[in-house]
């Protein structure tokens, strides 16, 4: 048995889709491996004056449709295999929503939670310095991803501009508003996922007020999604972060949880310190503690994995009780789990569609940076909605036409567009 890595999981999904598309050998080859893998070791002096080194990557998967585009993550698991898989997903994602980009991804294998703010800035600047030749508005445009923030984007742009002696507002997206950012970019991933889910619910003639939602992950995407859903009348029954989660059959108020998290550092911090919990307070609030694993298997209608990849696999997919799974994270459902879900009639709205809102608003930010013309929040929201709904309609149509899952359909839509671009450019 070959070892399952994020990239082998991507190739597996690709394999099932391309069979039906009848691609040529040359076309297949271009979709199976990245065009460029840039690796380096990034060294900084830590706060104790000691030199520390971290492996760093920029994988440029495919640029048939436009400049490479994709975030940078800071995480201990961000190795070459993971970054490769994420770069490939970006190429499909930008094609599914039909924005003029290819796909890439970056990563630094480190634990940013252990960094001071100064160390974080040093690492971010070192990344921009190391890969500066491969980056640029017309070449490869990074953005935030797991554990990377607007501040980090600002440091990277600043470093890039210093190093290249240019003014380069469009070389990176997800920047702070004070330095070329885009209105609505912070909420874009959650908002895009919300538009898609709302459309799905509407077309399946369901009532949000009767739907219970469990969300794994309370970062930018997960937390904002919880707030959107709560406001729209859905009942959020569980949320979690890397420390664990809470569940209430009667529903929880994500606005309160957000305050708790800001105050204590985690969603359970208000109730538990380490393994010691204030049982009285939990009873009073009708909540109970759950692990991240338990959260996935709770009674609910919609499950939203919004943390890391491979959360739902062949091992736990049979225990999932939801009828819809909306992938706000990248790659949270493994190919084995996909099969189990398909058999059980559970609809998975795949990452390349569900979380594409982030890169769509990044596209607005990139175009704002290139033209110098500022966008309003209303424009950004309205265009995001239009693009997400068009993509959803296209994927749903393809799924119905070919009797495929939403993931297979989304991959098919994306791959066809990439292949078409490769053809007209004379690459294949
Ligand atoms: N990191 C996000 C993603 O995985 C956003 C990428 C971007 O805005 O370029 O889609």
């Amino acid at each position: 048995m070959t070892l399952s890595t994020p990239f082998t999981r991507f190739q597996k999904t690709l394999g099932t889709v391309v069979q039906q598309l009848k691609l040529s050998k040359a076309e297949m080859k271009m979709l199976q491996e990245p065009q460029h893998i840039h690796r380096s070791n990034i060294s900084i002096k830590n706060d104790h004056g000691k030199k520390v080194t971290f492996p760093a990557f920029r994988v440029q998967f495919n640029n048939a449709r436009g400049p490479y585009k994709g975030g940078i993550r800071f995480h201990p698991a961000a190795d070459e295999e993971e970054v490769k898989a994420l770069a490939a997903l970006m190429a499909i994602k930008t094609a599914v929503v039909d924005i003029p980009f290819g796909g890439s991804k970056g990563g630094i294998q480190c634990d940013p939670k252990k960094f001071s703010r100064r160390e974080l800035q040093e690492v971010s600047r070192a990344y921009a310095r190391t890969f500066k030749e491969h980056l640029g508005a017309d070449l490869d445009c990074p953005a935030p991803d797991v554990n990377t923030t607007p501040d980090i984007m600002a440091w990277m742009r600043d470093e890039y501009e210093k190093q290249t002696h240019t003014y380069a507002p469009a070389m990176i997206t997800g920047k702070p508003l004070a330095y070329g950012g885009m209105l609505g970019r912070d909420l874009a991933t959650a908002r895009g996922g919300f538009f898609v889910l709302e459309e799905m619910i509407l077309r399946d003639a369901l009532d949000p007020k009767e739907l219970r939602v469990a969300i794994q992950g309370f970062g930018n995407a997960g937390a904002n999604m919880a707030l959107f859903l709560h406001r729209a009348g859905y009942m959020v029954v569980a949320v979690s972060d890397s420390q664990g989660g809470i569940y209430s059959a009667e529903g929880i108020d994500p606005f309160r949880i957000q305050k708790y998290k800001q105050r204590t550092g985690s969603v359970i911090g208000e109730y538990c310190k380490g393994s010691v919990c204030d049982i009285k307070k939990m009873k009073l609030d009708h909540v109970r503690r759950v692990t991240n694993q338990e959260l996935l298997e709770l009674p609910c209608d919609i499950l939203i994995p919004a943390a890391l990849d491979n959360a739902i696999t062949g091992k736990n997919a049979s225990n999932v009780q939801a009828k819809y799974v909306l992938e706000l994270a990248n790659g949270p459902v493994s190919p084995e789990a996909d099969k189990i879900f398909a058999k059980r009639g559970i609809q998975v709205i795949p990452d390349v569609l569900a979380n594409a809102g982030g890169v769509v608003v990044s596209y607005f930010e990139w175009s704002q940076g290139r033209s110098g013309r500022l966008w309003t929040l209303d424009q950004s929201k309205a265009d995001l909605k239009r693009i997400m709904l068009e993509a959803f309609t296209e994927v749903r149509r393809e799924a119905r036409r070919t009797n495929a899952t939403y993931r297979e359909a989304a991959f098919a839509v994306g791959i066809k567009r990439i292949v078409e671009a490769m053809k007209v450019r004379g690459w294949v």
Side-chain angles (χ1 to χ4, degrees):
M1 206 173 84
T2 49
L3 198 69
S4 159
T5 71
F7 194 63
T8 61
R9 290 194 287 278
F10 163 78
Q11 286 179 316
K12 217 172 193 175
T13 308
L14 185 75
T16 50
V17 178
V18 292
Q19 267 170 13
Q20 287 130 29
L21 296 181
K22 302 200 173 65
L23 301 183
S24 71
K25 271 220 176 88
E27 289 162 356
M28 270 301 285
K29 211 167 154 227
M30 296 243 27
L31 293 168
Q32 263 166 344
E33 289 295 334
Q35 289 171 325
H36 306 285
I37 302 177
H38 306 291
R39 326 172 171 87
S40 192
N41 284 310
I42 281 183
S43 297
I44 62 154
K45 268 217 169 93
N46 72 9
D47 287 351
H48 310 291
K50 211 177 131 220
K51 183 175 152 188
V52 282
T53 303
F54 307 98
F57 309 92
R58 186 73 187 167
V59 176
Q60 298 173 323
F61 200 84
N62 188 289
N63 65 350
R65 305 182 70 259
Y68 299 107
K69 185 87 192 79
I72 300 171
R73 65 172 55 183
F74 291 181
H75 196 275
D79 59 11
E80 192 171 313
E81 281 295 294
E82 179 175 276
V83 178
K84 252 164 79 176
L86 293 164
L89 285 180
M90 283 310 301
I92 309 266
K93 193 185 299 186
T94 53
V96 169
V97 288
D98 210 3
I99 54 176
F101 287 124
S104 57
K105 202 80 169 199
I108 304 182
Q109 203 173 345
C110 65
D111 183 357
K113 288 180 184 147
K114 293 198 179 128
F115 289 152
S116 68
R117 197 169 156 80
R118 188 201 67 85
E119 290 167 340
L120 194 64
Q121 178 167 174
E122 287 298 312
V123 165
S124 308
R125 286 185 181 276
Y127 188 94
R129 267 198 309 278
T130 304
F131 295 113
K132 63 177 185 293
E133 266 112 64
H134 309 297
L135 304 178
D138 299 330
L139 184 58
D140 185 355
C141 176
D145 197 75
V146 173
N147 291 331
T148 47
T149 59
D151 284 354
I152 292 175
M153 302 303 112
W155 295 326
M156 288 187 177
R157 172 182 163 193
D158 187 59
E159 189 64 32
Y160 179 88
E161 291 186 336
K162 275 190 186 137
Q163 295 288 327
T164 57
H165 305 286
T166 54
Y167 168 70
M171 68 75 54
I172 198 163
T173 58
K175 300 178 295 293
L177 286 175
Y179 190 35
M182 177 77 202
L183 290 163
R185 176 63 184 86
D186 49 349
L187 301 186
T189 306
R191 186 173 276 132
F194 177 71
F195 287 147
V196 168
L197 184 66
E198 279 274 276
E199 192 64 16
M200 181 94 178
I201 297 308
L202 187 82
R203 298 213 194 175
D204 287 357
L206 295 167
D207 180 1
K209 305 220 159 37
E210 285 165 11
L211 299 172
R212 298 157 304 165
V213 192
I215 305 175
Q216 185 192 54
F218 211 72
N220 175 294
N224 287 312
M225 188 68 180
L227 300 177
F228 279 128
L229 291 169
H230 180 73
R231 232 184 272 136
Y234 294 76
M235 190 198 269
V236 178
V237 290
V239 294
S240 70
D241 57 26
S242 58
Q243 315 283 306
I246 54 170
Y247 167 70
S248 169
E250 290 158 43
I252 49 189
D253 176 355
F255 285 94
R256 251 173 82 187
I257 304 298
Q258 197 181 36
K259 275 197 203 115
Y260 292 170
K261 175 144 181 155
Q262 273 156 9
R263 202 161 56 215
T264 65
S266 71
V267 300
I268 54 162
E270 183 75 5
Y271 301 104
C272 306
K273 295 223 159 42
S275 58
V276 185
C277 295
D278 186 341
I279 305 291
K280 235 187 177 164
K281 188 167 168 52
M282 290 182 102
K283 270 208 174 125
L284 214 67
D285 288 355
H286 304 278
V287 300
R288 81 175 158 85
R289 186 179 191 168
V290 289
T291 65
N292 264 298
Q293 274 312 306
E294 285 163 352
L295 180 136
L296 301 169
E297 302 173 12
L298 289 169
C300 65
D301 305 289
I302 302 164
L303 176 63
I304 305 186
L308 291 175
D309 69 346
N310 216 27
I312 309 171
T313 64
K315 287 202 184 100
N316 57 357
S318 311
N319 302 334
V320 167
Q321 300 190 47
K323 286 160 212 77
Y324 296 92
V325 178
L326 182 89
E327 291 187 318
L328 268 197
N330 285 311
V333 176
S334 78
E336 291 74 27
D338 258 341
K339 269 200 197 127
I340 296 171
F341 285 158
K343 241 189 235 144
R344 296 181 55 208
I346 296 171
Q347 299 274 20
V348 178
I349 309 172
D351 45 12
V352 289
L353 173 64
N355 72 27
V359 75
V360 168
V361 179
S362 274
Y363 163 50
F364 306 157
E365 184 174 330
W366 173 85
S367 94
Q368 172 177 276
R370 302 186 103 207
S371 68
R373 191 187 160 88
L374 297 177
W375 286 49
T376 65
L377 180 58
D378 283 347
Q379 279 171 333
S380 159
K381 278 199 227 169
D383 275 24
L384 173 64
K385 187 166 189 175
R386 177 181 54 76
I387 291 176
M388 293 307 292
L389 294 191
E390 274 171 18
F392 175 78
T393 303
E394 190 67 30
V395 170
R396 191 172 167 105
R397 195 183 296 138
E398 177 76 12
R400 299 217 154 166
R401 193 178 66 77
T402 57
N403 198 17
T405 64
Y406 277 69
R407 187 184 318 280
E408 289 160 353
F411 265 60
V413 167
I415 288 168
K416 277 191 234 169
R417 287 184 178 145
I418 297 171
V419 169
E420 209 182 318
M422 294 198 300
K423 270 191 187 145
V424 297
R425 292 182 71 164
W427 292 2
V428 287

